[in-house]
C-alpha cells in the first residue's frame, strides 16, 4: 500500500508544478502547455518519489538518469528542475528568451539535463545506450525515458524498443504519456497505434497500464518497474492533454500554442494559484 | 615505386580499434550487421563484451552511441558512410553534436571505389553532410597508416569525430613515423607552379600526377590534407600565395565536400584560380574501382589535365 501522506504531498507538488508551467508560459508567450500538463502527475511521482538524484550535485555518479524524449514539454521539465532545486524558480521567467539557459527545448546548458532533446523519436535510443553502458559497469543506476504517444509513429522509436527488449534492459523504464493527441489531432486518426500495449509486449517489454493522473497508481507503477527483472518496463500512463485547465483539456490546439496573458490569468485562477503567480 | 605495398584503409580502422581496445577499457564498438566488412569484427572477436550489434537500425545505433558516451564510454559506431552520414544524420546532429558528446563514427566504404555494389552503397556525400555539423571533426585518411593514426587520435580526443575510409586496398604511401597532427596537412612534395591538395585514398593518383607534371616541366606542390574539419587554413593560404593556383582532389561530390572547404579558405585569404577533382554532381554506378576512377575523372591523367587548365587561368 502506498503512503497516503506521500500521495497528498505529491499532489501538492503537482499543483505547484502546474502553476509554474502556466506562469513560465505567461512570461514566454510561447511553448507547449498540453503535453506538459498531461505528464505532470507521473513526472512528479518520478522526481519526488522514485528517482535517485541530488539536485545539489547534478553529476553525482549514483544518480538515476532521465531522458526527456518529448523535449517539447520543457515548461514541465524546467518546473520540475526548479521545484527540485536544480535551478532557481525565478529563472522560469527567462524561459524561451534570448540568452536563457531555459531553451525552447532542453539542452545541456541547463543543470539537471543529461542531453539535449526535442527531435522526436530519438530519446529512447539514447536511453538504451545509456542503460547498456551503465549495466556494463555493474552500476545500479536506473534510466527513465519520458515519451509521448505520437512518438511511437517514428520508426527509430521501434528500433529502440526492439533493441531494449533484445538486450533485456531491466534498468530501463519508459514513461509513456498516453494523452492520445498530437499536433494534427487524435493519434488514432492521424496514424493509429492501437493496440499500443500489445505492440510493446510483442517487443518483449513488461507493460504497466495506469491512470496517469492517479498519484497512488503512478507511485505503485514506478515501484513495480524497479522489481521487474530480465526485461525493460513501459508505464503507459493514460492521461488527458492539458489536464487541470478545463478549456485546454483534450484539445489538440493546445499542443504547441501558448495561452495569451489574459488566458494565463484565467488558467491560473482555475488552478487556484497563489497571488504571486499573477505578476506578468 | 615498384615495392609499393597495398592495404585497405578499413584494415587500418580494424587494427587501430583492436590496439586501442587493449589500452582503454572505455572503448566500445557498435555495429549494424556489417561487422566483418567494416572490420569492427576484429574488435568484436577480441572484446566480445564490448561489442554490441544493433542490427539493421542505424538511427537507433547512433543515439545508443550517444547514450554510451553519457555513461562514460568511448563508442565507435561502425557502418557504411552512406548509411551513417545520411540515414542517421538527424541523430548525429541533434543528439551527438548539439550536446557535444564523445561519439566516434567510422564511415566505411567511402567513395566510388566500393565498386560493383553501385550507387546505393557508395558514400559520395558524407563529407559534406558531416562537415556542416558544429562540434564535429571530419577526417579522411589517405592510406592504412593514416587511418590507424586517425582512429588512435580520435580515441584520445574528447568530442564527436567522423573518420571516413574505403573498402579496397590502396597503396601505402605514408610512413609509420610520418606525423599525424589533426587539422594539419603533410607536405608530400614541394613545388612552385601549382598546389595539388589531396584528401583521402586518391593520394596515389596525385603522386603519379606530380611525377607526370615534373616530366612536363611543371613544378607541383602536393599537400595531403587528411582533416577536412577543422581545415588547415595556414597551408591553404600559403599554397595560394606561393603557387598561385590550386587543384583539390577527393573521392566525393565536388559540391560541399573537401574542395568546397578549401575554396572557402582560398576566397577569404588569397583568391586564386582553382579546379576540383571529384564526382561532378552524379550518382555512382557499378564497375571495378579502376573503371570507375576513369569514368568519373579521378585518375592521374585527369589531375594533370586539371593542373594544365588551372595554369592557363593563372597566367590569364
Amino acid at each position: 500500500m502506498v503512503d497516503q501522506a506521500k500521495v497528498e504531498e505529491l499532489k501538492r507538488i503537482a499543483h505547484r508544478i502546474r502553476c509554474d508551467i502556466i506562469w513560465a508560459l505567461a512570461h514566454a508567450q510561447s511553448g507547449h502547455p498540453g503535453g506538459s500538463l498531461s505528464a505532470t502527475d507521473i513526472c512528479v511521482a518520478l522526481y519526488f518519489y522514485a528517482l535517485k538524484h541530488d539536485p545539489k550535485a547534478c553529476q553525482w555518479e549514483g544518480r538515476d538518469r532521465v531522458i526527456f524524449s518529448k523535449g517539447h514539454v520543457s515548461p514541465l521539465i524546467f518546473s520540475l528542475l526548479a521545484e527540485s532545486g536544480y535551478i532557481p524558480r525565478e529563472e522560469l521567467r527567462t524561459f524561451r528568451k534570448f540568452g536563457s539557459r531555459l531553451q525552447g527545448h532542453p539542452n545541456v546548458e541547463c543543470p539537471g539535463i543529461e542531453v539535449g532533446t526535442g527531435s522526436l523519436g530519438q530519446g529512447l535510443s539514447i536511453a538504451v545506450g545509456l542503460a547498456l553502458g551503465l549495466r556494463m559497469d555493474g552500476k545500479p543506476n536506473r534510466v527513465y525515458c519520458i515519451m509521448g504517444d505520437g512518438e511511437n509513429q517514428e520508426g527509430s522509436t521501434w528500433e529502440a524498443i526492439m533493441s531494449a527488449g533484445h538486450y533485456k534492459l531491466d534498468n530501463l523504464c519508459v514513461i509513456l504519456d498516453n494523452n492520445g493527441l498530437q499536433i494534427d489531432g487524435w493519434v488514432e486518426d492521424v496514424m493509429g497505434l492501437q493496440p499500443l500495449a500489445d505492440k510493446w509486449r510483442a517487443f518483449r517489454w513488461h507493460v504497466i497500464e495506469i491512470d496517469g493522473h492517479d498519484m497512488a497508481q503512478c507511485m505503485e507503477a514506478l515501484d513495480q518497474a524497479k522489481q521487474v527483472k530480465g526485461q525493460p518496463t513501459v508505464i503507459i500512463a493514460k492521461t488527458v492533454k492539458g489536464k487541470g485547465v478545463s478549456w485546454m483539456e483534450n484539445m489538440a490546439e493546445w499542443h504547441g500554442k501558448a495561452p495569451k496573458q489574459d488566458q494565463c490569468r484565467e488558467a491560473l485562477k482555475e488552478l487556484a494559484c497563489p497571488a504571486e503567480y499573477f505578476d506578468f | 615505386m615498384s615495392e609499393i605495398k597495398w592495404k585497405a584503409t578499413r584494415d587500418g580502422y580494424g587494427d587501430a580499434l583492436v590496439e586501442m581496445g587493449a589500452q582503454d577499457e572505455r572503448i566500445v564498438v557498435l555495429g549494424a550487421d556489417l561487422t566483418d566488412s567494416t572490420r569492427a569484427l576484429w574488435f568484436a572477436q577480441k572484446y566480445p563484451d564490448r561489442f554490441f550489434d544493433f542490427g539493421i537500425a542505424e538511427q537507433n545505433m547512433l543515439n545508443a552511441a550517444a547514450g554510451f558516451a553519457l555513461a562514460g564510454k568511448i563508442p565507435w559506431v561502425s557502418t557504411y558512410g552512406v548509411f551513417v552520414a545520411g540515414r542517421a544524420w538527424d541523430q548525429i546532429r541533434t543528439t551527438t553534436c548539439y550536446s557535444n558528446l564523445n561519439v566516434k563514427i567510422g564511415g566505411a566504404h567511402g567513395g566510388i571505389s566500393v565498386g560493383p555494389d553501385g550507387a546505393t552503397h557508395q558514400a559520395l556525400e558524407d563529407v559534406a553532410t558531416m562537415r556542416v555539423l558544429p562540434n564535429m571533426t571530419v577526417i579522411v585518411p589517405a592510406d592504412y597508416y593514416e587511418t590507424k593514426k586517425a582512429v588512435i587520435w580520435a580515441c584520445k580526443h574528447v568530442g564527436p569525430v567522423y573518420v571516413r575510409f574505403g573498402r579496397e586496398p590502396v597503396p601505402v604511401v605514408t610512413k609509420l613515423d610520418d606525423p599525424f597532427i589533426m587539422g594539419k596537412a603533410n607536405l608530400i612534395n614541394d613545388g612552385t607552379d601549382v598546389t595539388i591538395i589531396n584528401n583521402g585514398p586518391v593520394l596515389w593518383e596525385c603522386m603519379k600526377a606530380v611525377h607526370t607534371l615534373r616530366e612536363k616541366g611543371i613544378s607541383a606542390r602536393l599537400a595531403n590534407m587528411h582533416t577536412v574539419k577543422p581545415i588547415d587554413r595556414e597551408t591553404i593560404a600559403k599554397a595560394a600565395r606561393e603557387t598561385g593556383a590550386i587543384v583539390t582532389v577527393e573521392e566525393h561530390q565536388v559540391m560541399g565536400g573537401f574542395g568546397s572547404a578549401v575554396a572557402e579558405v582560398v576566397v577569404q585569404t588569397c583568391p586564386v584560380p582553382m579546379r576540383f577533382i571529384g564526382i561532378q554532381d552524379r550518382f555512382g554506378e557499378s564497375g571495378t574501382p579502376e573503371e570507375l576512377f576513369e569514368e568519373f575523372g579521378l585518375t592521374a591523367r585527369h589531375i594533370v589535365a586539371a593542373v594544365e587548365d588551372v595554369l592557363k587561368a593563372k597566367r590569364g
Side-chain angles (χ1 to χ4, degrees):
Chain A
M1 276 301 287
V2 293
D3 176 351
Q4 201 50 44
K6 190 72 187 172
V7 170
E8 293 308 317
E9 184 199 331
L10 293 180
K11 281 183 179 172
R12 282 192 295 276
I13 295 173
H15 177 252
R16 280 203 296 277
I17 296 279
R18 286 200 164 86
C19 295
D20 283 350
I21 288 168
I22 302 295
W23 188 66
L25 288 164
H27 281 280
Q29 283 297 290
S30 122
H32 296 74
S36 296
L37 293 168
S38 65
T40 295
D41 297 305
I42 182 86
C43 286
V44 164
L46 176 65
Y47 267 76
F48 301 95
Y49 175 68
L51 198 66
K52 269 195 217 161
H53 64 145
D54 181 358
K56 298 284 168 273
C58 51
Q59 293 299 308
W60 173 48
E61 279 282 306
R63 73 191 186 282
D64 292 334
R65 314 299 168 93
V66 183
I67 307 293
F68 276 94
S69 192
K70 50 182 295 180
H72 60 274
V73 298
S74 47
L76 165 63
I77 300 167
F78 297 140
S79 298
L80 289 164
L81 295 178
E83 179 74 20
S84 304
Y86 286 95
I87 55 171
R89 187 179 164 277
E90 273 300 298
E91 201 170 335
L92 294 176
R93 288 175 188 275
T94 70
F95 173 50
R96 281 183 169 243
K97 294 212 165 81
F98 182 70
S100 173
R101 295 191 295 183
L102 311 185
Q103 295 280 298
H105 294 78
N107 74 0
V108 292
E109 296 292 312
C110 179
I113 297 298
E114 304 282 351
V115 58
T117 51
S119 181
L120 293 177
Q122 298 204 18
L124 185 53
S125 296
I126 306 171
V128 165
L130 187 46
L132 275 166
L134 292 168
R135 189 174 73 180
M136 271 178 85
D137 292 340
K139 291 186 175 161
N141 319 47
R142 294 181 61 75
V143 180
Y144 293 93
C145 179
I146 291 98
M147 295 177 64
D149 41 14
E151 269 190 273
N152 286 254
Q153 291 159 350
E154 283 278 5
S156 57
T157 294
W158 293 103
E159 293 180 3
I161 293 170
M162 182 164 46
S163 64
H166 174 83
Y167 282 114
K168 303 182 169 61
L169 293 175
D170 53 18
N171 56 346
L172 173 64
C173 176
V174 162
I175 291 170
L176 188 64
D177 180 28
N178 185 200
N179 63 34
L181 280 166
Q182 57 190 112
I183 299 179
D184 279 356
W186 291 101
V187 171
E188 281 312 297
D189 295 336
V190 176
M191 184 50 65
L193 289 166
Q194 293 301 338
L196 187 58
D198 288 344
K199 287 193 173 77
W200 283 76
R201 266 185 216 108
F203 282 78
R204 310 179 210 177
W205 283 62
H206 179 72
V207 178
I208 305 172
E209 293 180 271
I210 59 164
D211 172 352
H213 299 308
D214 182 320
M215 197 56 83
Q217 285 191 35
C218 292
M219 292 161 71
E220 279 170 339
L222 289 162
D223 281 341
Q224 192 194 121
K226 288 183 185 176
Q227 305 306 320
V228 175
K229 297 292 169 222
Q231 60 182 155
T233 295
V234 56
I235 299 170
I236 301 181
K238 187 87 197 84
T239 59
V240 172
K241 196 148 183 158
K243 176 72 177 179
V245 180
S246 57
W247 39 272
M248 283 187 181
E249 290 188 356
N250 286 322
M251 302 291 282
E253 63 173 295
W254 290 108
H255 171 90
K257 185 174 77 172
K260 294 189 174 42
Q261 291 197 332
D262 55 331
Q263 291 173 314
C264 285
R265 286 194 182 87
E266 259 179 67
L268 291 169
K269 262 186 232 160
E270 192 179 324
L271 288 165
C273 299
E276 66 260 27
Y277 279 94
F278 294 82
D279 68 339
F280 48 88
Chain B
M1 277 196 177
S2 56
E3 288 170 37
I4 288 290
K5 207 168 61 175
W6 290 62
K7 218 166 173 185
T9 47
R10 63 174 167 164
D11 292 353
Y13 177 71
D15 282 341
L17 288 183
V18 170
E19 193 176 314
M20 291 309 289
Q23 289 183 31
D24 195 331
E25 288 199 345
R26 294 174 300 167
I27 293 173
V28 295
V29 175
L30 282 56
D33 201 41
L34 294 168
T35 312
D36 185 10
S37 56
T38 59
R39 298 296 189 243
L41 181 66
W42 300 353
F43 181 95
Q45 286 170 334
K46 196 113 195 212
Y47 311 103
D49 296 343
R50 287 193 267 151
F51 173 76
F52 298 88
D53 209 319
F54 278 82
I56 307 162
E58 292 81 7
Q59 297 176 50
N60 182 42
M61 174 170 67
L62 258 297
N63 267 4
F68 273 105
L70 287 173
K73 303 295 174 192
I74 302 172
W76 273 95
V77 166
S78 310
T79 187
Y80 293 174
V82 72
F83 303 141
V84 75
R87 190 173 299 171
W89 187 83
D90 184 32
Q91 275 76 8
I92 298 170
R93 171 191 180 268
T94 309
T95 299
T96 284
C97 289
Y98 185 40
S99 295
N100 200 12
L101 298 178
N102 197 22
V103 172
K104 316 299 172 190
I105 303 168
H109 288 41
I112 205 154
S113 56
V114 177
D117 275 343
T120 54
H121 285 57
Q122 294 164 344
L124 296 178
E125 305 81 17
D126 53 327
V127 171
T129 59
M130 288 296 106
R131 85 178 183 93
V132 293
L133 295 172
N135 293 329
M136 181 64 87
T137 297
V138 181
I139 306 174
V140 185
D143 67 2
Y144 171 82
Y145 284 131
E146 218 172 73
T147 309
K148 231 181 131 176
K149 290 177 203 173
V151 171
I152 291 167
W153 176 85
C155 286
K156 295 172 182 168
H157 170 78
V158 180
V161 182
Y162 180 69
V163 181
R164 189 242 217 177
F165 45 89
R167 179 182 189 278
E168 294 298 308
V170 290
V172 180
V173 287
T174 70
K175 288 190 244 11
L176 185 59
D177 54 359
D178 283 344
F180 179 88
I181 304 168
M182 189 277 297
K184 198 81 203 125
N186 286 329
L187 200 64
I188 305 288
N189 189 70
D190 207 355
T192 53
D193 296 330
V194 62
T195 302
I196 299 168
I197 309 182
N198 168 73
N199 179 238
V202 269
L203 181 56
W204 177 238
E205 295 295 330
C206 296
M207 291 169 80
K208 287 195 285 188
V210 167
H211 186 74
T212 307
L213 288 165
R214 192 180 298 135
E215 286 175 346
K216 289 175 174 242
I218 297 167
S219 165
R221 179 181 297 182
L222 174 58
N224 176 41
M225 200 168 281
H226 44 66
T227 312
V228 179
K229 186 188 176 191
I231 195 101
D232 184 351
R233 297 177 69 89
E234 200 185 331
T235 294
I236 295 167
K238 195 161 177 275
R241 267 198 318 273
E242 293 178 1
T243 68
I246 291 174
V247 173
T248 58
V249 184
E250 65 193 304
E251 202 180 331
H252 182 275
Q253 299 287 357
V254 292
M255 284 188 213
F258 172 74
S260 299
V262 172
E264 286 162 13
V265 177
V266 169
V267 295
Q268 292 177 76
T269 53
C270 176
V272 296
M274 283 187 71
R275 293 294 179 269
F276 304 88
I277 293 284
I279 314 300
Q280 305 287 340
D281 199 20
R282 294 167 64 186
F283 280 105
E285 59 182 90
S286 294
T288 66
E290 296 74 25
E291 287 165 340
L292 293 169
F293 261 47
E294 189 57 41
E295 168 63 21
F296 286 84
L298 294 169
T299 69
R301 179 173 73 80
H302 297 98
I303 298 166
V304 168
V307 165
E308 288 173 332
D309 190 46
V310 82
L311 285 177
K312 274 186 225 152
K314 177 185 167 184
R315 293 184 197 109

